[in-house]
Amino acid sequence: MDRILSNQNPRVKAWAKLATKKGRQENRTYLLDGWHLVEEAIKVKAKFHAVMATETQMAEHLPDVPHGVPAFEISEEVAKHIAGTNSPQGIFAEISLPEKTFDPKYVHDGAWLLLDNIQDPGNVGTLVRTADAAGFKGVVLGAGTADAYSPKVVRAMQGSQFHLEVLNGNLDEWTDALISNDLPVYGSLLNEEAKSYHDVQPATQFGLIVGNEGNGMSAALADKTTANLYIPIQGRAESLNVAIAGGILMFTLALGN
């Protein structure tokens, strides 16, 4: 097992580059930070390229690393450099990005969350994690939405990317296809023309669109939906955080929750 102590090591530079979208696309890999995420990847038999850990973490977890995966012991400083934080857990894995193509014309079942220009990584990760918890089949990231495999989104997803489909897609095409396949599509809209989410019957098959933090979902998508929903606010706040609103709608609309 190699021991790496310098941030100038070529491997360290390559791992740090995975914090950028360009680096991930060039290598077709991304980083997991922390044992929980690494363990989740092991459970689903993700394709590992390397495991990197400090001496303490390596001693504790090396027996659980899949046979044949290159393992590198790293210093605390290298761990901080790779993580981009001052207090990493000290164990990382480089794994392959999923290579998925998904034509929405063939989607005939399940609950699907569509993210329209959600820019905050924490919101994107929380929405994916909540969709997982609510039993959704997949999440589709539309144009302008934060990259699902950026470090902040990956941390916020907490491994949920391994439990449901996480896809990039054209939300106009997805909306049209779901409706054509007899799946209603609901938008989240703070608008007098929208109806209360209480007035929709829970189901197992539908699409739900949530929109940009400041501007909401696009007008073009709002015009396509089966219905647009709002969450009545009892207090004096003007609106809800998009991840909170999305969570309320997902758990209300999904049958069985």
Side-chain angles (χ1 to χ4, degrees), residues 80-159:
K80 292 177 183 179
H81 184 68
I82 295 172
T85 65
N86 288 322
S87 55
Q89 293 184 33
I91 184 165
F92 309 85
E94 180 184 2
I95 68 170
S96 290
L97 285 169
E99 300 288 350
K100 295 180 180 177
T101 57
F102 222 93
D103 190 334
K105 293 196 297 290
Y106 300 106
V107 175
H108 295 276
D109 61 1
W112 293 84
L113 179 65
L114 281 56
L115 305 185
D116 180 25
N117 195 25
I118 307 291
Q119 297 176 346
D120 181 84
N123 284 335
V124 172
T126 299
L127 284 161
V128 172
R129 185 178 179 184
T130 306
D132 177 18
F136 275 51
K137 189 168 184 177
V139 181
V140 183
L141 284 64
T145 296
D147 183 4
Y149 298 100
S150 69
K152 289 182 179 179
V153 176
V154 170
R155 282 195 288 269
M157 289 192 294
Q158 282 294 295

Side-chain angles (χ1 to χ4, degrees), residues 5-13 78 81:
L5 304 177
S6 171
N7 292 342
Q8 301 307 310
N9 182 284
R11 290 188 183 275
V12 175
K13 290 182 178 181
V78 169
H81 184 68

Side-chain angles (χ1 to χ4, degrees), residues 174-204:
W174 270 83
T175 301
D176 290 341
L178 292 175
I179 291 173
S180 294
N181 291 339
D182 297 322
L183 275 69
V185 176
Y186 303 110
S188 173
L189 201 62
L190 201 59
N191 185 302
E192 291 181 356
E193 296 180 2
K195 67 179 183 179
S196 172
Y197 75 115
H198 291 300
D199 296 333
V200 177
Q201 290 296 315
T204 57

Side-chain angles (χ1 to χ4, degrees), residues 41-57:
I42 292 171
K43 288 177 182 177
V44 300
K45 296 181 171 55
K47 183 177 179 181
F48 280 75
H49 294 256
V51 169
M52 308 80 84
T54 59
E55 182 179 6
T56 301
Q57 290 290 318

Side-chain angles (χ1 to χ4, degrees), residues 16-37:
K17 192 176 179 182
L18 296 179
T20 69
K21 187 172 184 178
K22 180 180 179 181
R24 293 189 294 274
Q25 290 178 335
E26 287 178 350
N27 288 281
R28 303 308 303 163
T29 61
Y30 73 104
L31 278 186
L32 302 175
D33 179 356
W35 174 245
H36 170 68
L37 297 183

Side-chain angles (χ1 to χ4, degrees), residues 161-181:
Q161 72 269 29
F162 299 125
H163 307 153
L164 75 175
E165 304 288 350
V166 179
L167 312 161
N168 293 311
N170 182 307
L171 298 194
D172 287 293
E173 294 178 0
W174 270 83
T175 301
D176 290 341
L178 292 175
I179 291 173
S180 294
N181 291 339

